[in-house]
Amino acid sequence: MYRRFGGPENVQVEQVLPPSLGADDVLIRVRASTVSAADHRARSREVPRGLGLLAAFGIGVVRPKRRVLGMDVAGVVEAVGEDVTRFEPGDEVIAMLGAAFGGHAEYAKVRQDGAIARKPRNMTSEDAVTLVFGGLTARGFLAQVELVPGATVLVNGASGAVGSAAVQLAKHAGAHVTGICSGGNRELVTSLGADRVIDHTTDDVTSSADTYDVIVDCVGNAPFERVGHLLNPGGALLLVIADLPAILRAPLRSRRTGKLVTATVGKPTAEDLAFLVDLAEAGHYRAVRDRTFDLDEIAAAHRFVDGGRKRGNVVLRIAAHHPDRAGAGCRPGTVPVVAE
Ligand SMILES: NC(=O)c1ccc[n+]([C@@H]2O[C@H](COP(=O)([O-])OP(=O)(O)OC[C@H]3O[C@@H](n4cnc5c(N)ncnc54)[C@H](OP(=O)(O)O)[C@@H]3O)[C@@H](O)[C@H]2O)c1
């Protein structure tokens, strides 16, 4: 939990009751989550230029609105609300909690019509949870373009959580993929399917004559002004991260240039997650894990993510809970507490 914005030291382990369940909620006993860029942003309030006020609505003005961070979970269904039909206690699942957060805990809840799917059979919970945050974001952005086989895709930040997912999804769609990362991550990005890798520490992509059908910016340093000339006619610039001016200018740019410029992504669905699960089970999508931390090392995990250089995902392992603590009205298969 964190009670004030600031550094990693503000995040501590505390005892709280499990979330209360509504009729459509699924209560998950969490085995793993990730410490993501979103956790870093929510905790530190470091957001792109111009987005401070907007972010405050979501994460809080003076104090954090959601005290437990963690946007994603992998775990076991512990209990379901009375109207839940799609899941039952004992099911192994992965889920996106999104802006509700709450994944860095022993229990988390998600609506049955939210982004929740069964865990891939061939992955541990620690691996499976890596599909959620980066995978859903990359899928949401790439879904806005038609990726035909042979399309050329440039992924900036190809070694991060979103970038490593974008490389894999674009490759699976048959695209010719170029990834931008630092030299040390060349091998990783190539192993994910990139046909070419550009080292941003030695080469500047904007000075090359190569052009692309789709550019995915997962770093925030490739606005249209800088990379627009690298886009083929009818191409698309997918701004996974952008400041307020770039977000506001995107629709006008699209109209004027005939190239799609977008910084928005739709709400992830259970179908999106199931798509990623199917890919993983078919061997077409790999978990990209950097370090793994236990819940009691949460501050150290934040410190590591703050460095901005993680490879793929930083996993948070939530130890098996003590059976006595399944209490607080929470027996397997029952609704623990009435709706909020
Ligand atoms: N719009 C949305 O809904 C949404 C959703 C998720 C995330 N985001 C945002 O998208 C961004 C990416 O998220 P993420 O989870 O992928 O972050 P991440 O995992 O923390 O990304 C870390 C990666 O960034 C790379 N990087 C740093 N500087 C770079 C540079 N100058 N050029 C190329 N790569 C560079 C690093 O690669 P090297 O070490 O190899 O340089 C590192 O692997 C974040 O800002 C996050 O807040 C937005």
Side-chain angles (χ1 to χ4, degrees):
M1 298 183 75
Y2 74 129
R3 295 171 183 278
R4 61 170 65 97
F5 298 112
E9 69 284 357
N10 288 299
V11 191
Q12 286 163 358
V13 179
E14 296 184 26
Q15 288 285 343
V16 293
L17 286 174
S20 56
L21 270 201
D24 281 306
D25 289 337
V26 176
L27 184 72
I28 300 168
R29 178 154 46 85
V30 183
R31 286 176 175 162
S33 181
T34 71
V35 181
S36 69
D39 297 317
H40 159 80
R41 291 196 184 285
R43 194 211 71 231
S44 64
R45 279 207 298 199
E46 271 176 34
V47 294
R49 184 166 57 112
L51 292 176
L53 206 59
L54 209 63
F57 273 112
I59 61 177
V61 180
V62 182
R63 300 240 175 262
K65 247 189 197 173
R66 317 273 184 188
R67 289 182 177 167
V68 181
L69 291 167
M71 277 199 169
D72 48 17
V73 292
V76 183
V77 175
E78 175 88 8
V80 295
E82 60 194 17
D83 292 344
V84 172
T85 52
R86 294 184 50 227
F87 297 94
E88 55 184 45
D91 287 349
E92 291 191 295
V93 293
I94 56 175
M96 179 68 161
L97 311 175
F101 288 95
H104 295 174
E106 290 170 306
Y107 294 97
K109 72 172 176 182
V110 63
R111 285 178 58 87
Q112 69 164 331
D113 59 0
I116 171 170
R118 66 180 174 79
K119 178 177 81 66
R121 278 184 285 267
N122 57 344
M123 283 187 172
T124 61
S125 296
E126 283 94 345
D127 279 341
V129 78
T130 68
L131 266 60
V132 184
F133 180 82
L136 285 176
T137 304
R139 177 160 167 81
F141 275 96
L142 288 172
Q144 300 177 63
V145 297
E146 202 189 333
L147 272 190
V148 293
T152 47
V153 176
L154 176 70
V155 180
N156 186 32
S159 52
V162 182
S164 61
V167 169
Q168 297 192 75
L169 294 179
K171 189 66 195 172
H172 182 253
H176 181 277
V177 182
T178 302
I180 305 180
C181 60
S182 56
N185 287 328
R186 176 182 293 275
E187 218 169 284
L188 166 73
V189 172
T190 304
S191 75
L192 296 174
D195 300 280
R196 209 161 62 96
V197 172
I198 296 172
D199 179 348
H200 65 80
T201 64
T202 54
D203 293 311
D204 179 6
V205 66
T206 61
S207 56
S208 146
D210 296 319
T211 57
Y212 304 88
D213 297 317
V214 179
I215 299 177
V216 191
D217 181 18
C218 308
V219 178
N221 62 359
F224 191 86
E225 297 86 322
R226 184 164 173 250
V227 300
H229 68 286
L230 301 180
L231 278 176
N232 291 329
L237 174 59
L238 309 178
L239 298 167
V240 178
I241 183 77
D243 60 16
L244 185 63
I247 293 171
L248 294 176
R249 279 198 295 264
L252 190 63
R253 286 238 197 263
S254 296
R255 276 199 299 278
R256 281 198 180 148
T257 62
K259 298 172 181 177
L260 173 70
V261 182
T262 180
T264 56
V265 63
K267 209 173 166 201
T269 64
E271 288 71 32
D272 292 323
L273 206 47
F275 172 83
L276 293 165
V277 169
D278 289 346
L279 273 194
E281 285 184 344
H284 300 309
Y285 193 98
R286 215 177 90 192
V288 183
R289 267 171 78 177
D290 197 312
R291 290 181 58 181
T292 299
F293 292 85
D294 287 318
L295 185 60
D296 60 4
E297 301 172 303
I298 184 69
H302 273 268
R303 217 166 280 125
F304 184 70
V305 172
D306 278 10
R309 300 240 85 94
K310 70 182 169 66
R311 289 154 53 98
N313 300 272
V314 166
V315 171
L316 189 65
R317 191 166 36 204
I318 317 282
H321 72 304
H322 191 282
D324 294 346
R325 273 197 276 132
C330 181
R331 281 183 294 113
T334 66
V335 180
V337 190
V338 288
E340 284 155 344

